[in-house]
Amino acid sequence: MNIGLTYNLKKDCSSSDEEPPSKFIDSEAEWDDQETIDAVREALAVHHNVTLIEANDTAYEKLLQHRAKLDIVFNMAEGMNGVSREAQIPAMLEFLGYRYTASDPLTLTLCLDKARTKEILSYYQIPTARFSSVIGWNGVPHSAPRNGLNGTNGLNRLKYPLIVKPLHEGSSKGIFNDSVVRSRAALRDTIMRVVEQYQEPAVIEEFLPGREFTVAILGNGDDARTLPMVEICFDHLPEGANPVYSYEAKWVWDRPSAPLKIFECPADINEELRAEIERICLRAYKVLGCRDWCRIDVRLDEQDRPHILELNPLPGILPNPEDNSCFPKAARAAGMSYVQLINCALETALRRYGLI
Ligand SMILES: Nc1ncnc2c1ncn2[C@@H]1O[C@H](COP(=O)(O)OP(=O)(O)O)[C@@H](O)[C@H]1O
Ligand SMILES: [Mg+2]
């Protein structure tokens, strides 16, 4: 088949040993590096003809030009600007009548809004930490908080410790070691930092103190299945660090010369807990309308009950096993190579369209 590959290329992703991520461009943190784009292209090219389409200013013209010849587009583009950025390429693809892999614009936009995602999870009684979201300190609430909380009072009713995150970011952007707050003063300062840095609301959640897992899902409908779970282990973080997969843990403390031992896959977990995590993840996948694949973050509360943190419907897929990339790691634990994983995602979409 003729496959288009839509992607955003990270222009400068150097976070070398000598240079902690000073050159790191935060706005491109979610984008892919050349190595990943090459690896996906090569994986698809094992069975198909691949046309690369960078999701830049001329994306629409290129999609228009290639429309007649492409059977499907493999979409890994994270988009350019704004809170609906992940929806931009899928919206163009739908406008032009393309078939494409992964979720649709609505799901991609919803999952990039951590509070809207949690409202939907709450509606379906899927466990997620109690939360509130605010535009600024004393600002207008972005949304009416759920989980039994009302209006601006919601913030006052949450129990410390809390964690403060930007509403519309991923890749641990804006989530630092000190985003876990234990006082009202720290809460105010951290909300202000998020609002000033990202010009977007903050979401404030009760801090779930238990173990953390991330769950890769492949498939659609009754065929959707989880891959072996990855545990995020915080034992090797610097002494005194909060147990969070923070910006520092992802981009500063995990270095090529001193890789952070942070993932355990398959997670050492009892069958009952594994089944419950699988159940809530598959349910979350379904109610958010995810398609083909997704990675879901989960954390346990003080009573070891799992809660959904967030969904990643465009999962990170770094090819190098030495890089800490959870979806390919989970696939390897299931006996799938990188080439098999990429082609499995493609075939899942082809099956959804009735093409195979
Ligand atoms: N409510 C919470 N309780 C405990 N830890 C949390 C909570 N929310 C986020 N975290 C920590 O912060 C990390 C990043 O948060 P997440 O919502 O997954 O954002 P991102 O989109 O940047 O991955 C999580 O992997 C987890 O370690
Ligand atoms: Mg996450």
Short mmCIF file of all heavy atoms in Angstrom, two decimals, residues 73-134:
data_model
loop_
_atom_site.label_atom_id
_atom_site.label_comp_id
_atom_site.label_asym_id
_atom_site.label_seq_id
_atom_site.Cartn_x
_atom_site.Cartn_y
_atom_site.Cartn_z
N VAL A 73 -2.91 7.35 6.00
CA VAL A 73 -1.82 8.12 6.60
C VAL A 73 -1.55 7.57 8.00
O VAL A 73 -2.48 7.36 8.79
CB VAL A 73 -2.20 9.62 6.69
CG1 VAL A 73 -1.22 10.39 7.57
CG2 VAL A 73 -2.24 10.22 5.28
N PHE A 74 -0.28 7.33 8.29
CA PHE A 74 0.14 6.97 9.64
C PHE A 74 0.44 8.28 10.35
O PHE A 74 1.41 8.97 10.01
CB PHE A 74 1.38 6.07 9.58
CG PHE A 74 1.77 5.47 10.92
CD1 PHE A 74 1.44 4.16 11.22
CD2 PHE A 74 2.46 6.22 11.87
CE1 PHE A 74 1.79 3.60 12.45
CE2 PHE A 74 2.80 5.67 13.10
CZ PHE A 74 2.48 4.36 13.38
N ASN A 75 -0.42 8.66 11.28
CA ASN A 75 -0.27 9.99 11.89
C ASN A 75 0.44 9.93 13.23
O ASN A 75 -0.04 9.31 14.18
CB ASN A 75 -1.64 10.64 12.09
CG ASN A 75 -1.49 12.00 12.76
OD1 ASN A 75 -0.61 12.79 12.39
ND2 ASN A 75 -2.31 12.27 13.74
N MET A 76 1.57 10.61 13.29
CA MET A 76 2.24 10.78 14.59
C MET A 76 2.53 12.27 14.84
O MET A 76 3.34 12.61 15.71
CB MET A 76 3.51 9.93 14.68
CG MET A 76 4.49 10.15 13.57
SD MET A 76 5.84 8.94 13.54
CE MET A 76 6.81 9.48 14.93
N ALA A 77 1.83 13.15 14.11
CA ALA A 77 2.07 14.59 14.25
C ALA A 77 1.41 15.12 15.52
O ALA A 77 0.25 14.85 15.78
CB ALA A 77 1.52 15.33 13.03
N GLU A 78 2.18 15.87 16.27
CA GLU A 78 1.66 16.44 17.53
C GLU A 78 1.06 17.83 17.30
O GLU A 78 0.47 18.40 18.21
CB GLU A 78 2.78 16.53 18.57
CG GLU A 78 3.43 15.20 18.90
CD GLU A 78 2.71 14.45 20.03
OE1 GLU A 78 1.87 15.06 20.68
OE2 GLU A 78 3.01 13.26 20.20
N GLY A 79 1.22 18.39 16.11
CA GLY A 79 0.62 19.68 15.79
C GLY A 79 1.48 20.86 16.19
O GLY A 79 2.52 20.71 16.82
N MET A 80 1.00 22.06 15.82
CA MET A 80 1.85 23.25 15.94
C MET A 80 1.56 24.11 17.16
O MET A 80 2.40 24.32 18.00
CB MET A 80 1.70 24.11 14.69
CG MET A 80 2.25 23.47 13.44
SD MET A 80 4.03 23.63 13.33
CE MET A 80 4.13 25.06 12.30
N ASN A 81 0.40 24.72 17.25
CA ASN A 81 0.12 25.69 18.31
C ASN A 81 -1.27 25.46 18.87
O ASN A 81 -2.15 24.96 18.19
CB ASN A 81 0.15 27.12 17.74
CG ASN A 81 1.44 27.43 17.04
OD1 ASN A 81 2.50 27.37 17.64
ND2 ASN A 81 1.36 27.72 15.74
N GLY A 82 -1.44 25.90 20.12
CA GLY A 82 -2.79 25.94 20.69
C GLY A 82 -3.20 24.66 21.37
O GLY A 82 -2.54 23.62 21.27
N VAL A 83 -4.34 24.73 22.06
CA VAL A 83 -4.76 23.63 22.91
C VAL A 83 -5.35 22.46 22.10
O VAL A 83 -5.54 21.37 22.64
CB VAL A 83 -5.77 24.09 23.98
CG1 VAL A 83 -5.17 25.17 24.86
CG2 VAL A 83 -7.07 24.58 23.35
N SER A 84 -5.65 22.70 20.83
CA SER A 84 -6.16 21.61 20.00
C SER A 84 -5.11 21.15 18.98
O SER A 84 -5.44 20.59 17.95
CB SER A 84 -7.42 22.05 19.24
OG SER A 84 -8.42 22.40 20.15
N ARG A 85 -3.83 21.40 19.31
CA ARG A 85 -2.79 21.17 18.29
C ARG A 85 -2.75 19.73 17.78
O ARG A 85 -2.51 19.50 16.61
CB ARG A 85 -1.42 21.62 18.81
CG ARG A 85 -0.98 20.98 20.11
CD ARG A 85 0.24 21.69 20.71
NE ARG A 85 0.67 21.12 21.97
CZ ARG A 85 0.15 21.44 23.15
NH1 ARG A 85 -0.82 22.32 23.24
NH2 ARG A 85 0.59 20.86 24.26
N GLU A 86 -3.01 18.76 18.68
CA GLU A 86 -2.93 17.37 18.20
C GLU A 86 -4.04 17.04 17.21
O GLU A 86 -3.97 16.05 16.49
CB GLU A 86 -2.97 16.40 19.39
CG GLU A 86 -1.69 16.46 20.21
CD GLU A 86 -1.64 15.42 21.32
OE1 GLU A 86 -2.54 14.56 21.39
OE2 GLU A 86 -0.69 15.49 22.12
N ALA A 87 -5.08 17.86 17.20
CA ALA A 87 -6.21 17.61 16.29
C ALA A 87 -5.98 18.18 14.90
O ALA A 87 -6.72 17.87 13.97
CB ALA A 87 -7.48 18.21 16.88
N GLN A 88 -4.97 19.04 14.76
CA GLN A 88 -4.86 19.81 13.51
C GLN A 88 -4.66 18.92 12.28
O GLN A 88 -5.38 19.08 11.28
CB GLN A 88 -3.72 20.84 13.64
CG GLN A 88 -4.09 21.94 14.62
CD GLN A 88 -2.90 22.74 15.12
OE1 GLN A 88 -1.74 22.38 14.90
NE2 GLN A 88 -3.19 23.84 15.81
N ILE A 89 -3.72 18.00 12.34
CA ILE A 89 -3.48 17.16 11.16
C ILE A 89 -4.66 16.21 10.93
O ILE A 89 -5.17 16.11 9.81
CB ILE A 89 -2.11 16.45 11.28
CG1 ILE A 89 -0.98 17.49 11.16
CG2 ILE A 89 -1.95 15.34 10.23
CD1 ILE A 89 -0.90 18.27 9.85
N PRO A 90 -5.16 15.51 11.98
CA PRO A 90 -6.35 14.67 11.74
C PRO A 90 -7.54 15.46 11.17
O PRO A 90 -8.28 14.95 10.33
CB PRO A 90 -6.67 14.11 13.12
CG PRO A 90 -5.37 14.08 13.81
CD PRO A 90 -4.62 15.28 13.33
N ALA A 91 -7.71 16.72 11.59
CA ALA A 91 -8.82 17.51 11.03
C ALA A 91 -8.59 17.76 9.54
O ALA A 91 -9.52 17.66 8.73
CB ALA A 91 -8.96 18.83 11.79
N MET A 92 -7.35 18.07 9.16
CA MET A 92 -7.05 18.24 7.72
C MET A 92 -7.27 16.93 6.98
O MET A 92 -7.80 16.91 5.87
CB MET A 92 -5.58 18.64 7.52
CG MET A 92 -5.26 20.06 7.93
SD MET A 92 -3.51 20.37 7.53
CE MET A 92 -3.16 21.65 8.74
N LEU A 93 -6.88 15.83 7.61
CA LEU A 93 -7.02 14.53 6.95
C LEU A 93 -8.51 14.22 6.74
O LEU A 93 -8.90 13.74 5.67
CB LEU A 93 -6.35 13.43 7.80
CG LEU A 93 -4.82 13.53 7.88
CD1 LEU A 93 -4.26 12.60 8.96
CD2 LEU A 93 -4.19 13.20 6.52
N GLU A 94 -9.32 14.51 7.72
CA GLU A 94 -10.76 14.27 7.56
C GLU A 94 -11.35 15.19 6.50
O GLU A 94 -12.16 14.78 5.68
CB GLU A 94 -11.49 14.46 8.90
CG GLU A 94 -11.06 13.40 9.89
CD GLU A 94 -12.02 13.17 11.04
OE1 GLU A 94 -12.97 13.95 11.22
OE2 GLU A 94 -11.81 12.17 11.76
N PHE A 95 -10.92 16.44 6.51
CA PHE A 95 -11.41 17.42 5.54
C PHE A 95 -11.15 16.94 4.11
O PHE A 95 -11.98 17.08 3.22
CB PHE A 95 -10.69 18.75 5.79
CG PHE A 95 -11.22 19.91 5.01
CD1 PHE A 95 -12.31 20.63 5.45
CD2 PHE A 95 -10.62 20.30 3.81
CE1 PHE A 95 -12.80 21.72 4.73
CE2 PHE A 95 -11.10 21.37 3.08
CZ PHE A 95 -12.20 22.09 3.54
N LEU A 96 -9.96 16.33 3.95
CA LEU A 96 -9.58 15.87 2.60
C LEU A 96 -10.01 14.43 2.32
O LEU A 96 -9.71 13.90 1.26
CB LEU A 96 -8.06 16.00 2.44
CG LEU A 96 -7.55 17.45 2.40
CD1 LEU A 96 -6.02 17.48 2.49
CD2 LEU A 96 -8.00 18.16 1.12
N GLY A 97 -10.69 13.82 3.27
CA GLY A 97 -11.22 12.46 3.03
C GLY A 97 -10.20 11.35 3.16
O GLY A 97 -10.38 10.27 2.60
N TYR A 98 -9.13 11.59 3.90
CA TYR A 98 -8.13 10.54 4.12
C TYR A 98 -8.56 9.55 5.18
O TYR A 98 -9.27 9.90 6.13
CB TYR A 98 -6.84 11.18 4.67
CG TYR A 98 -5.85 11.68 3.64
CD1 TYR A 98 -5.79 13.04 3.33
CD2 TYR A 98 -4.94 10.83 3.05
CE1 TYR A 98 -4.86 13.52 2.42
CE2 TYR A 98 -4.00 11.30 2.15
CZ TYR A 98 -3.96 12.64 1.84
OH TYR A 98 -3.03 13.12 0.96
N ARG A 99 -8.05 8.35 5.09
CA ARG A 99 -8.05 7.42 6.23
C ARG A 99 -6.75 7.66 6.98
O ARG A 99 -5.73 7.96 6.36
CB ARG A 99 -8.06 5.96 5.75
CG ARG A 99 -9.20 5.62 4.81
CD ARG A 99 -9.01 4.16 4.36
NE ARG A 99 -9.99 3.80 3.35
CZ ARG A 99 -9.73 3.75 2.06
NH1 ARG A 99 -8.52 4.02 1.59
NH2 ARG A 99 -10.67 3.39 1.21
N TYR A 100 -6.77 7.48 8.29
CA TYR A 100 -5.54 7.70 9.05
C TYR A 100 -5.55 6.90 10.34
O TYR A 100 -6.60 6.49 10.83
CB TYR A 100 -5.34 9.20 9.36
CG TYR A 100 -6.44 9.82 10.17
CD1 TYR A 100 -6.33 9.96 11.55
CD2 TYR A 100 -7.62 10.27 9.56
CE1 TYR A 100 -7.34 10.53 12.30
CE2 TYR A 100 -8.64 10.84 10.31
CZ TYR A 100 -8.49 10.97 11.68
OH TYR A 100 -9.50 11.53 12.42
N THR A 101 -4.37 6.67 10.87
CA THR A 101 -4.23 5.89 12.11
C THR A 101 -4.49 6.76 13.33
O THR A 101 -4.37 7.97 13.29
CB THR A 101 -2.80 5.32 12.25
OG1 THR A 101 -1.87 6.40 12.35
CG2 THR A 101 -2.42 4.43 11.08
N ALA A 102 -4.83 6.11 14.40
CA ALA A 102 -5.01 6.68 15.75
C ALA A 102 -6.28 7.51 15.86
O ALA A 102 -7.15 7.48 14.98
CB ALA A 102 -3.77 7.44 16.20
N SER A 103 -6.36 8.25 16.96
CA SER A 103 -7.64 8.84 17.35
C SER A 103 -8.03 10.04 16.49
O SER A 103 -7.20 10.62 15.79
CB SER A 103 -7.58 9.24 18.83
OG SER A 103 -7.45 8.09 19.62
N ASP A 104 -9.32 10.40 16.62
CA ASP A 104 -9.84 11.51 15.81
C ASP A 104 -9.62 12.85 16.52
O ASP A 104 -9.16 12.89 17.67
CB ASP A 104 -11.31 11.25 15.46
CG ASP A 104 -12.24 11.37 16.64
OD1 ASP A 104 -11.79 11.81 17.73
OD2 ASP A 104 -13.42 11.01 16.49
N PRO A 105 -9.94 13.97 15.85
CA PRO A 105 -9.64 15.29 16.44
C PRO A 105 -10.30 15.50 17.80
O PRO A 105 -9.70 16.09 18.70
CB PRO A 105 -10.21 16.28 15.40
CG PRO A 105 -10.18 15.53 14.11
CD PRO A 105 -10.44 14.09 14.46
N LEU A 106 -11.51 15.00 17.97
CA LEU A 106 -12.20 15.23 19.24
C LEU A 106 -11.46 14.56 20.39
O LEU A 106 -11.19 15.16 21.43
CB LEU A 106 -13.65 14.73 19.15
CG LEU A 106 -14.46 14.85 20.44
CD1 LEU A 106 -14.59 16.32 20.86
CD2 LEU A 106 -15.84 14.24 20.27
N THR A 107 -11.15 13.28 20.21
CA THR A 107 -10.45 12.54 21.28
C THR A 107 -9.08 13.14 21.56
O THR A 107 -8.67 13.28 22.72
CB THR A 107 -10.33 11.05 20.87
OG1 THR A 107 -11.66 10.50 20.85
CG2 THR A 107 -9.47 10.27 21.83
N LEU A 108 -8.37 13.53 20.50
CA LEU A 108 -7.02 14.09 20.70
C LEU A 108 -7.10 15.40 21.49
O LEU A 108 -6.28 15.66 22.37
CB LEU A 108 -6.32 14.30 19.36
CG LEU A 108 -5.96 12.99 18.65
CD1 LEU A 108 -5.57 13.24 17.19
CD2 LEU A 108 -4.82 12.27 19.37
N THR A 109 -8.11 16.21 21.19
CA THR A 109 -8.25 17.48 21.91
C THR A 109 -8.68 17.24 23.35
O THR A 109 -8.16 17.86 24.28
CB THR A 109 -9.28 18.38 21.18
OG1 THR A 109 -8.81 18.57 19.86
CG2 THR A 109 -9.42 19.72 21.86
N LEU A 110 -9.63 16.35 23.54
CA LEU A 110 -10.09 16.05 24.91
C LEU A 110 -8.95 15.54 25.78
O LEU A 110 -8.79 15.96 26.92
CB LEU A 110 -11.18 14.97 24.87
CG LEU A 110 -12.58 15.44 24.52
CD1 LEU A 110 -13.51 14.23 24.39
CD2 LEU A 110 -13.11 16.39 25.59
N CYS A 111 -8.15 14.63 25.23
CA CYS A 111 -7.09 14.03 26.04
C CYS A 111 -5.96 15.02 26.30
O CYS A 111 -5.15 14.81 27.20
CB CYS A 111 -6.57 12.75 25.39
SG CYS A 111 -7.80 11.43 25.42
N LEU A 112 -5.89 16.10 25.52
CA LEU A 112 -4.89 17.13 25.79
C LEU A 112 -5.45 18.17 26.77
O LEU A 112 -4.80 19.15 27.08
CB LEU A 112 -4.44 17.79 24.48
CG LEU A 112 -3.09 18.52 24.51
CD1 LEU A 112 -1.97 17.61 25.00
CD2 LEU A 112 -2.74 19.08 23.14
N ASP A 113 -6.65 17.95 27.24
CA ASP A 113 -7.21 18.78 28.30
C ASP A 113 -7.41 17.86 29.51
O ASP A 113 -8.37 17.09 29.57
CB ASP A 113 -8.55 19.39 27.85
CG ASP A 113 -9.15 20.33 28.89
OD1 ASP A 113 -9.01 20.04 30.10
OD2 ASP A 113 -9.77 21.32 28.49
N LYS A 114 -6.46 17.96 30.45
CA LYS A 114 -6.47 16.97 31.55
C LYS A 114 -7.74 17.07 32.38
O LYS A 114 -8.22 16.06 32.91
CB LYS A 114 -5.22 17.15 32.41
CG LYS A 114 -3.94 16.74 31.67
CD LYS A 114 -2.74 16.67 32.60
CE LYS A 114 -1.64 15.79 32.04
NZ LYS A 114 -0.72 16.43 31.13
N ALA A 115 -8.33 18.27 32.51
CA ALA A 115 -9.54 18.40 33.32
C ALA A 115 -10.76 17.84 32.59
O ALA A 115 -11.57 17.12 33.18
CB ALA A 115 -9.76 19.86 33.71
N ARG A 116 -10.91 18.16 31.31
CA ARG A 116 -12.04 17.61 30.55
C ARG A 116 -11.98 16.08 30.55
O ARG A 116 -13.00 15.40 30.67
CB ARG A 116 -12.02 18.13 29.10
CG ARG A 116 -12.39 19.59 28.98
CD ARG A 116 -13.90 19.77 29.00
NE ARG A 116 -14.26 21.17 28.89
CZ ARG A 116 -14.84 21.88 29.87
NH1 ARG A 116 -15.13 21.33 31.02
NH2 ARG A 116 -15.14 23.14 29.68
N THR A 117 -10.76 15.56 30.39
CA THR A 117 -10.59 14.10 30.42
C THR A 117 -11.11 13.56 31.75
O THR A 117 -11.87 12.58 31.79
CB THR A 117 -9.10 13.75 30.27
OG1 THR A 117 -8.65 14.24 29.01
CG2 THR A 117 -8.86 12.26 30.34
N LYS A 118 -10.74 14.23 32.84
CA LYS A 118 -11.13 13.74 34.16
C LYS A 118 -12.63 13.91 34.39
O LYS A 118 -13.25 13.09 35.08
CB LYS A 118 -10.31 14.46 35.24
CG LYS A 118 -8.84 13.97 35.25
CD LYS A 118 -7.92 14.89 36.01
CE LYS A 118 -8.11 14.83 37.50
NZ LYS A 118 -7.75 13.52 38.09
N GLU A 119 -13.21 14.94 33.82
CA GLU A 119 -14.67 15.08 33.93
C GLU A 119 -15.36 13.89 33.27
O GLU A 119 -16.33 13.33 33.81
CB GLU A 119 -15.13 16.38 33.28
CG GLU A 119 -14.77 17.60 34.10
CD GLU A 119 -15.08 18.90 33.37
OE1 GLU A 119 -15.74 18.85 32.32
OE2 GLU A 119 -14.64 19.95 33.86
N ILE A 120 -14.88 13.52 32.09
CA ILE A 120 -15.51 12.38 31.39
C ILE A 120 -15.29 11.09 32.17
O ILE A 120 -16.21 10.30 32.37
CB ILE A 120 -14.97 12.29 29.95
CG1 ILE A 120 -15.46 13.49 29.15
CG2 ILE A 120 -15.40 10.98 29.28
CD1 ILE A 120 -14.84 13.65 27.79
N LEU A 121 -14.07 10.90 32.68
CA LEU A 121 -13.80 9.70 33.48
C LEU A 121 -14.73 9.67 34.70
O LEU A 121 -15.32 8.63 35.02
CB LEU A 121 -12.34 9.69 33.94
CG LEU A 121 -11.28 9.54 32.84
CD1 LEU A 121 -9.88 9.73 33.42
CD2 LEU A 121 -11.39 8.19 32.13
N SER A 122 -14.90 10.83 35.34
CA SER A 122 -15.76 10.89 36.54
C SER A 122 -17.20 10.55 36.18
O SER A 122 -17.88 9.83 36.92
CB SER A 122 -15.72 12.28 37.16
OG SER A 122 -14.41 12.65 37.45
N TYR A 123 -17.65 11.07 35.06
CA TYR A 123 -19.02 10.80 34.62
C TYR A 123 -19.27 9.30 34.51
O TYR A 123 -20.33 8.79 34.86
CB TYR A 123 -19.28 11.50 33.28
CG TYR A 123 -20.66 11.27 32.73
CD1 TYR A 123 -21.73 12.07 33.15
CD2 TYR A 123 -20.92 10.25 31.83
CE1 TYR A 123 -23.01 11.85 32.66
CE2 TYR A 123 -22.19 10.02 31.34
CZ TYR A 123 -23.23 10.83 31.76
OH TYR A 123 -24.49 10.61 31.28
N TYR A 124 -18.26 8.59 33.99
CA TYR A 124 -18.39 7.14 33.82
C TYR A 124 -17.91 6.37 35.06
O TYR A 124 -17.70 5.16 34.99
CB TYR A 124 -17.64 6.68 32.57
CG TYR A 124 -18.36 7.10 31.30
CD1 TYR A 124 -17.96 8.22 30.59
CD2 TYR A 124 -19.48 6.39 30.85
CE1 TYR A 124 -18.63 8.62 29.44
CE2 TYR A 124 -20.15 6.78 29.72
CZ TYR A 124 -19.73 7.89 29.02
OH TYR A 124 -20.41 8.29 27.89
N GLN A 125 -17.69 7.09 36.15
CA GLN A 125 -17.27 6.49 37.42
C GLN A 125 -15.99 5.67 37.30
O GLN A 125 -15.81 4.62 37.92
CB GLN A 125 -18.40 5.65 38.01
CG GLN A 125 -19.57 6.56 38.31
CD GLN A 125 -20.79 5.82 38.79
OE1 GLN A 125 -20.90 4.61 38.63
NE2 GLN A 125 -21.72 6.55 39.36
N ILE A 126 -15.10 6.16 36.47
CA ILE A 126 -13.77 5.56 36.37
C ILE A 126 -12.88 6.35 37.33
O ILE A 126 -12.82 7.59 37.23
CB ILE A 126 -13.23 5.65 34.92
CG1 ILE A 126 -14.17 4.87 33.98
CG2 ILE A 126 -11.80 5.13 34.84
CD1 ILE A 126 -13.93 5.12 32.51
N PRO A 127 -12.19 5.68 38.26
CA PRO A 127 -11.48 6.43 39.30
C PRO A 127 -10.38 7.33 38.72
O PRO A 127 -9.61 6.93 37.85
CB PRO A 127 -10.85 5.33 40.16
CG PRO A 127 -11.49 4.06 39.76
CD PRO A 127 -12.10 4.22 38.42
N THR A 128 -10.36 8.58 39.24
CA THR A 128 -9.33 9.54 38.88
C THR A 128 -9.20 10.48 40.08
O THR A 128 -10.19 10.70 40.79
CB THR A 128 -9.69 10.27 37.56
OG1 THR A 128 -8.60 11.09 37.18
CG2 THR A 128 -10.96 11.11 37.65
N ALA A 129 -8.02 11.02 40.33
CA ALA A 129 -7.81 11.84 41.54
C ALA A 129 -8.76 13.03 41.56
O ALA A 129 -9.06 13.61 40.50
CB ALA A 129 -6.36 12.32 41.59
N ARG A 130 -9.22 13.42 42.75
CA ARG A 130 -10.07 14.61 42.88
C ARG A 130 -9.28 15.82 42.40
O ARG A 130 -8.08 15.91 42.62
CB ARG A 130 -10.50 14.79 44.33
CG ARG A 130 -11.64 13.85 44.72
CD ARG A 130 -11.74 13.63 46.22
NE ARG A 130 -11.54 14.83 47.00
CZ ARG A 130 -12.52 15.50 47.62
NH1 ARG A 130 -13.77 15.11 47.52
NH2 ARG A 130 -12.24 16.56 48.35
N PHE A 131 -9.97 16.77 41.79
CA PHE A 131 -9.25 17.85 41.13
C PHE A 131 -10.07 19.12 41.04
O PHE A 131 -11.28 19.13 41.26
CB PHE A 131 -8.86 17.41 39.71
CG PHE A 131 -10.03 17.36 38.76
CD1 PHE A 131 -10.21 18.36 37.81
CD2 PHE A 131 -10.96 16.34 38.84
CE1 PHE A 131 -11.31 18.33 36.96
CE2 PHE A 131 -12.06 16.30 37.99
CZ PHE A 131 -12.24 17.30 37.04
N SER A 132 -9.36 20.17 40.67
CA SER A 132 -10.00 21.43 40.33
C SER A 132 -9.12 22.06 39.26
O SER A 132 -7.96 21.67 39.11
CB SER A 132 -10.05 22.33 41.57
OG SER A 132 -10.60 23.58 41.22
N SER A 133 -9.64 22.99 38.50
CA SER A 133 -8.75 23.69 37.57
C SER A 133 -9.04 25.17 37.63
O SER A 133 -10.19 25.58 37.75
CB SER A 133 -8.89 23.16 36.16
OG SER A 133 -10.21 23.23 35.74
N VAL A 134 -7.98 25.96 37.61
CA VAL A 134 -8.14 27.41 37.71
C VAL A 134 -7.29 28.10 36.67
O VAL A 134 -6.21 27.63 36.30
CB VAL A 134 -7.73 27.95 39.11
CG1 VAL A 134 -8.72 27.52 40.16
CG2 VAL A 134 -6.33 27.54 39.47
#
